[in-house]
Amino acid sequence: MRAAPLPGAQAAGFWFLLAYWRGPGAAARDLRFVTMLLYLPFRNCPRFQELEKETLKSKEFQKRLHPYKDFIETLPKLSGYHSQDLFGIWSRVYDPLFCEGVHNFTLPSWVIGDTMAKLRELSELSLLSLYGIHKQKEKSRLQGGVLVGEVLNHMRSAAQPASRCRLIMYSAHDTTVSGLQMVLYVYNGILPPYASCHLMELYLEKGYIG
């Protein structure tokens, strides 16, 4: 088990271990699992920072953003979040509201009509802009590609005759899931739902490993 250095990811991984391995001390034995590998996007990559700036200035991104300009300008007065950064709007505004709605909390009075739909669409645009829209291949390789490399290394190791490894698990967040799917070219542009699971299987069939 490996988990991103975030409370939610670590808690999910911990409780899965408790449920899956019921032997004495099973969870405690596997608590050495926090890794920055799952903390996507990696903000400390200079090249990725350059590509991120290029993306925000690109015609394609600006074209997608334009229909929401008026909504974004009114959002600070409504939400109290005084920034037009899409990642911030997603993590500081939409995500908390979504969680409150899921747990049947009363939402603020300004959350009416298509407000949540627009916030969700802006959040999806934020996620898409992180790994795609502009120079997707290079950006996604710098992000999800690192995780794919780790997965491939585990698969090569598991394919060895002496290996006893049967399962590697990662507990992370939607930015990790989408980053992984983007580099694999299977991302559908929708925010990964809570409790999403992406499976990769290594199998042996007629003497061939695939």
Side-chain angles (χ1 to χ4, degrees), residues 178-196:
S178 56
L180 173 66
Q181 293 183 338
M182 190 70 80
V183 77
L184 296 174
Y185 285 87
V186 296
Y187 181 59
N188 61 7
I190 299 174
L191 286 176
Y194 282 103
S196 295

Side-chain angles (χ1 to χ4, degrees), residues 42-59:
F42 305 127
R43 298 290 190 181
N44 60 347
C45 174
R47 179 55 182 159
F48 178 73
Q49 292 174 357
E50 291 177 9
L51 292 171
E52 206 172 13
K53 292 177 182 178
E54 290 178 11
T55 301
L56 298 181
K57 294 178 182 179
S58 68
K59 291 183 179 180

Side-chain angles (χ1 to χ4, degrees), residues 78-120:
L78 299 173
S79 67
Y81 180 69
H82 296 275
S83 173
Q84 296 189 1
D85 173 60
L86 293 192
F87 194 86
I89 290 174
W90 169 23
S91 60
R92 303 285 185 87
V93 182
Y94 173 74
D95 203 47
L97 289 173
F98 179 81
C99 292
E100 289 175 3
V102 167
H103 294 284
N104 295 318
F105 282 85
T106 300
L107 298 180
S109 59
W110 58 269
V111 183
I112 56 175
D114 61 352
T115 300
M116 284 299 286
K118 288 182 178 179
L119 286 172
R120 185 190 69 249

Side-chain angles (χ1 to χ4, degrees), residues 5 38 42 60 64 107 117 120 138:
L38 302 172
F42 305 127
E60 179 62 25
R64 295 181 184 225
L107 298 180
R120 185 190 69 249
E138 185 177 1

Side-chain angles (χ1 to χ4, degrees), residues 71-189:
F71 177 73
I72 291 174
E73 289 178 1
T74 62
L75 198 55
K77 296 179 181 179
L78 299 173
S79 67
Y81 180 69
H82 296 275
S83 173
Q84 296 189 1
D85 173 60
L86 293 192
F87 194 86
I89 290 174
W90 169 23
S91 60
R92 303 285 185 87
V93 182
Y94 173 74
D95 203 47
L97 289 173
F98 179 81
C99 292
E100 289 175 3
V102 167
H103 294 284
N104 295 318
F105 282 85
T106 300
L107 298 180
S109 59
W110 58 269
V111 183
I112 56 175
D114 61 352
T115 300
M116 284 299 286
K118 288 182 178 179
L119 286 172
R120 185 190 69 249
E121 290 163 5
L122 284 172
S123 299
E124 290 172 346
L125 178 57
S126 171
L127 191 55
L128 190 61
S129 69
L130 278 177
Y131 310 117
I133 296 182
H134 172 72
K135 296 185 179 179
Q136 175 180 334
K137 184 176 181 179
E138 185 177 1
K139 280 201 298 186
S140 59
R141 287 183 66 181
L142 291 171
Q143 297 293 322
V146 180
L147 180 55
V148 169
E150 167 90 351
V151 172
L152 289 175
N153 286 336
H154 282 305
M155 286 185 170
R156 293 188 188 101
S157 177
Q160 300 303 311
S163 175
R164 299 181 62 186
C165 179
R166 292 294 178 269
L167 178 68
I168 297 287
M169 292 178 53
Y170 298 97
S171 179
H173 281 266
D174 38 17
T175 51
T176 312
V177 174
S178 56
L180 173 66
Q181 293 183 338
M182 190 70 80
V183 77
L184 296 174
Y185 285 87
V186 296
Y187 181 59
N188 61 7

